[in-house]
Amino acid sequence: MSGVIERYHSWIGLPEGRAISLSEGSTPLVHWDSWGHSNIFLKLEGLNPTGSFKDRGMTVAVTNALAEGAKAVICASTGNTAASAAAYAARARIPALVVVPQGRVTKEKTLQALAHGARFLTIEGNFDDALHAVRQSVQSIPWLALVNSVNPWRIRGQETGAYEVVDELGRPPEALVLPVGNAGNISAYAQGFRRYSGILPKMFGIQAAGASPLVQGHDIPNPETLASAIRIGKPASSASAKEAVAQSQGAFLSVSDEDILAAQKELAHGGIFVEPASAAAYAGLLRLRQDNRIAGGNIVVVLTGHGLKDGSTPNAWIDASTRLISAGELGEALHDMIGVAQHVAH
Ligand code: AN7
């Protein structure tokens, strides 16, 4: 399968030329459940090449950067942008420079960026500080392309998520639910629905309670949540996100870290493993149902990143569930386990 540039070339509007692609996009839209007159669909963005939705925007941003003569790319990141930038820069055979907040990027995302050869800088401070510093320092360097979602080509690439939803359902859904950090993705989906179908579904942007500037209506100087991907207090694209929510009569909602963990577990027990930031969207959906705000039709939840991106949270599950069995105990232990399975199965 080709990547998003090839699939939606005329909609993206890049000039002709070589695409830097890893065959991203075309991710599954899983029919998860029916609630009354509503059908719940999950868009599994964790199945992109680096395990998150960032690849849709990165293929377009890196392709454009190269076409414009850039010799390297740079980004600030809570992890997924760094992993994606590193992979697409490696594909283009140019350097990637990434700047991340201290102590908050998961080991798995750090590993990805380093495996792809990124130059890695960890700063004292949070994501908002990192993005500010990076934006300041690239201003006068023409050969260095900024590939955060403040780059309009990132947004254009991420619009393809909305195109795919419309293509798969045959029309736009009634509502879209997704996690919000820097607010690039919600802005991209809104723009994608408007451009591709002329209709904007109700947009529900979900934030972690400790990092919820769009719910609270002001910047958060020290955002805090275990969903490290969306630990962002000053979203760069807040204006377009607010416009999308207001225009569609959607809402910004916040969910607690406990809600996020419960949602992550509920999805995992249905066969779908996502990282905490993505589980926040599902926690938001559960809140909407509780408040009787699911009014029928197709509801799409965008699950932005794979569960294997963040091993820190499920460690507790592993510790609670693994016991080493000696050879002598094996027969009896297996018998017990089969007994439990038999009980559950009947
Ligand atoms: C899994 O990687 O900001 O609202 O630097 O990794 O478009 O920022 C990641 C964000 C949701 C929020 N889900 O999207 C970064 C970064 C996951 C994410 C978001 C992110 P935006």
Side-chain angles (χ1 to χ4, degrees), residues 321-334:
S321 318
T322 50
R323 171 166 81 97
L324 188 63
I325 307 293
S326 71
E329 296 169 318
L330 182 58
E332 197 184 336
L334 207 49

Side-chain angles (χ1 to χ4, degrees), residues 299-316:
I299 316 292
V300 173
V301 183
V302 184
L303 298 176
T304 45
H306 202 284
L308 295 174
K309 285 277 197 176
D310 187 349
S312 57
T313 321
N315 265 344

